[in-house]
Amino acid sequence: MIKSTVTNREIWRIAYPIMLGNLAQTIITFTDTAFLGHLGTNELSASMMAGLYYFVFTTLAMGFAVGIQIFIARRYGEGDYKRIGVVFQHGAHFVLALGILLFCILFFFSHRLLEIIIESENIQVAANEYLSIRQFGIFFVVFNFLFRSFYVGISSTQVITFSTLIMAVVNIFFDWALIFGNAGLPEMGISGAALASLMAEITAFCFFWIYTYIKIPHEEYGMFRWHKMQPQLLADLLKVAFPSMIQRLFSFGAWFIFFVMIEKMGEMAIGISSVVRSTYMILIIPVFAFAATANTLTSRIIGEGKSNEVMAMLWKVAKNGVICSAVLVAVTMAIPKLVLQIYTEDLALAQAAVPSVYVVGIATIISAVAMVFFEAVSGTGNTTAAMALEFGILIAYIVYVFLMSKTSTIAGVWTAEWLYNIAIGLISLVYIWKADWRRKKI
């Protein structure tokens, strides 16, 4: 095998700030779950269901940002820095329109949709209360994804660390203050958690704009200047980004369906899965960081004319991802009850969730390899292939979850994560190994 000129140090230089950046949404979920878990199981379950529902909408912006990231990384690898600002501006116009569209859907249709989706009336009422505030964050989230794609694309990911720390501080403080009525602020319960999350998203948005204006060389990157709109460029961006948008919508839509099916198993079942999900989201932070690194390095290396190094680079990224993930998994599986008690004071709930924690621990190690190769498929520029690869697997995933939810335990349902990651990893590996992706131009 041809050796990769990308060093482990360079992989970590890109990956660790992304890792911290991935904490952004995870920290919001983590702190909401940790605080609301002390209010009650209904509030905990409602925030999870409403948060997942909200997150399904944000995946469209996330998918578009992946397309922008691929374009920026390719231009960066080619040394065409001025073009990056043009790409960013076109992306900003699109996400503004997307944010308005998504907000309208959330504002006008969510109440009815949640009535259909959520069976428990108590959880349904609390979920609507949470979402009535959280939905305003969509305007800021779409731009936060755009900025993250810019910085990952130019391999300057330290700023993501700063934005994450700011989000964490804002969210934790206002969760503490607004949920329980501390620091002289009103006691708002689940609405307080939603408002804290909204304020964290707004703060990150402001920080990204200010930091980019101060730190990024405007002339070199063509930033903060008006570029004539180029319909062909926008069409090219959408050609790459649209399959990624649909793919992420399918992926997180299936994840939402997963929890809808579990909710129908009872309030205890959804309560268990709420704390398991929060634990899982912490465990897979390194997974998504190294996957994003694989994506941007694949695109950059192709832009540099070194396509023959891609496979060696991916194995190197996967190895680092497994090592990093294994540490988190080992600690969590050694003390699962202590970890789960962060989220809930209900000892019976924590004990019942332990088998599922073991299941997601194993799933994390599998995904540390699988997601690297899957994101590399998008990194080649062939996002349509990535969408097609995942679509069939997600159908099998949903069928598996449905059957297990009728016949097995909660831990048995969570083994669907094994099925998904093994399948997506193997198919993506075969694609990178055998398919003719080297001629793909973007």
Side-chain angles (χ1 to χ4, degrees):
M1 180 185 290
I2 296 172
K3 291 186 177 181
S4 171
T5 55
V6 177
T7 64
N8 287 323
R9 184 175 181 178
E10 185 173 5
I11 290 170
W12 276 91
R13 183 178 64 81
I14 298 172
Y16 89 82
I18 300 175
M19 209 178 299
L20 293 176
N22 286 343
L23 276 168
Q25 291 299 322
T26 304
I27 283 174
I28 289 176
T29 303
F30 176 88
T31 52
D32 285 357
T33 303
F35 283 115
L36 290 173
H38 296 285
L39 283 183
T41 303
N42 283 339
E43 289 83 357
L44 176 64
S45 301
S47 69
M48 187 198 70
M49 293 298 291
L52 280 170
Y53 173 82
Y54 172 78
F55 197 61
V56 168
F57 286 87
T58 71
T59 57
L60 289 170
M62 184 192 300
F64 181 75
V66 169
I68 292 288
Q69 177 184 314
I70 293 166
F71 258 82
I72 289 175
R74 191 66 57 89
R75 300 294 86 81
Y76 187 80
E78 294 168 350
D80 189 5
Y81 302 136
K82 285 187 179 295
R83 192 67 174 165
I84 291 174
V86 181
V87 171
F88 184 88
Q89 178 189 294
H90 282 68
H93 285 298
F94 182 83
V95 297
L96 176 60
L98 180 64
I100 294 171
L101 174 63
L102 294 177
F103 175 77
C104 289
I105 296 171
L106 284 165
F107 187 84
F108 291 108
F109 299 104
S110 290
H111 187 83
R112 179 59 183 151
L113 288 172
L114 289 177
E115 282 183 354
I116 296 170
I117 292 167
I118 300 175
E119 193 168 279
S120 168
E121 186 175 344
N122 291 330
I123 294 175
Q124 181 191 122
V125 170
N128 275 305
E129 182 182 344
Y130 180 90
L131 197 62
S132 66
I133 296 174
R134 185 73 189 277
Q135 63 193 356
F136 291 95
I138 196 73
F139 292 113
F140 308 98
V141 168
V142 294
F143 279 98
N144 291 343
F145 279 128
L146 181 65
F147 276 111
R148 289 184 77 249
S149 70
F150 169 76
Y151 284 105
V152 174
I154 65 173
S155 301
S156 179
T157 50
Q158 296 88 342
V159 62
I160 299 173
T161 304
F162 304 145
S163 70
T164 300
L165 291 173
I166 291 169
M167 283 190 76
V169 170
V170 170
N171 194 66
I172 291 170
F173 173 77
F174 284 104
D175 261 347
W176 170 78
L178 292 170
I179 292 174
F180 301 110
N182 293 313
L185 294 174
E187 182 179 345
M188 298 176 64
I190 193 170
S191 293
L195 183 56
S197 300
L198 172 61
M199 293 173 74
E201 290 164 346
I202 293 172
T203 304
F205 169 80
C206 294
F207 170 77
F208 271 129
W209 275 109
I210 294 169
Y211 183 96
T212 304
Y213 186 82
I214 294 172
K215 292 292 187 179
I216 295 299
H218 298 187
E219 193 63 33
E220 183 180 359
Y221 283 93
M223 299 288 283
F224 294 101
R225 52 182 298 189
W226 180 258
H227 300 281
K228 183 179 179 181
M229 288 301 293
Q230 301 172 25
Q232 186 57 52
L233 173 58
L234 186 57
D236 290 341
L237 285 170
L238 286 172
K239 185 178 179 180
V240 172
F242 186 73
S244 185
M245 293 168 68
I246 299 303
Q247 177 247 314
R248 263 126 179 116
L249 183 63
F250 286 159
S251 180
F252 287 96
W255 182 237
F256 183 65
I257 291 170
F258 174 95
F259 286 98
V260 169
M261 290 183 184
I262 287 180
E263 192 266 341
K264 297 186 185 308
M265 295 173 71
E267 292 185 358
M268 184 64 171
I270 196 65
I272 291 169
S273 290
S274 296
V275 295
V276 172
R277 171 187 175 253
S278 292
T279 304
Y280 192 27
M281 295 305 291
I282 295 293
L283 293 178
I284 60 176
I285 285 171
V287 171
F288 287 121
F290 284 100
T293 301
N295 181 298
T296 197
L297 284 176
T298 299
S299 188
R300 195 184 85 187
I301 287 172
I302 294 171
E304 292 171 350
K306 301 176 182 176
S307 298
N308 59 339
E309 294 185 11
V310 167
M311 182 64 84
M313 177 274 294
L314 293 177
W315 280 116
K316 187 177 287 188
V317 173
K319 180 185 72 175
N320 282 279
V322 168
I323 291 171
C324 186
S325 298
V327 174
L328 277 177
V329 170
V331 171
T332 302
M333 293 178 76
I335 50 170
K337 285 183 68 176
L338 290 178
V339 172
L340 291 165
Q341 285 171 25
I342 295 172
Y343 304 108
T344 180
E345 294 176 341
D346 188 334
L347 297 181
L349 182 68
Q351 180 62 49
V354 169
S356 298
V357 170
Y358 292 142
V359 171
V360 298
I362 295 170
T364 300
I365 300 301
I366 300 169
S367 67
V369 177
M371 288 297 103
V372 164
F373 284 94
F374 179 59
E375 283 298 317
V377 175
S378 293
T380 66
N382 199 347
T383 50
T384 302
M387 179 184 70
L389 288 177
E390 189 168 23
F391 183 70
I393 293 170
L394 287 174
I395 292 174
Y397 174 87
I398 292 171
V399 171
Y400 182 89
V401 170
F402 175 77
L403 294 174
M404 294 299 282
S405 69
K406 300 297 182 183
T407 61
S408 186
T409 61
I410 300 299
V413 177
W414 275 99
T415 60
E417 293 298 302
W418 297 355
L419 170 70
Y420 171 82
N421 284 297
I422 291 171
I424 204 79
L426 288 174
I427 294 174
S428 300
L429 174 61
V430 171
Y431 178 88
I432 296 295
W433 184 24
K434 295 290 188 181
D436 186 18
W437 46 264
R438 291 169 179 81
R439 299 179 187 177
K440 180 73 175 178
K441 301 293 183 183
I442 63 170

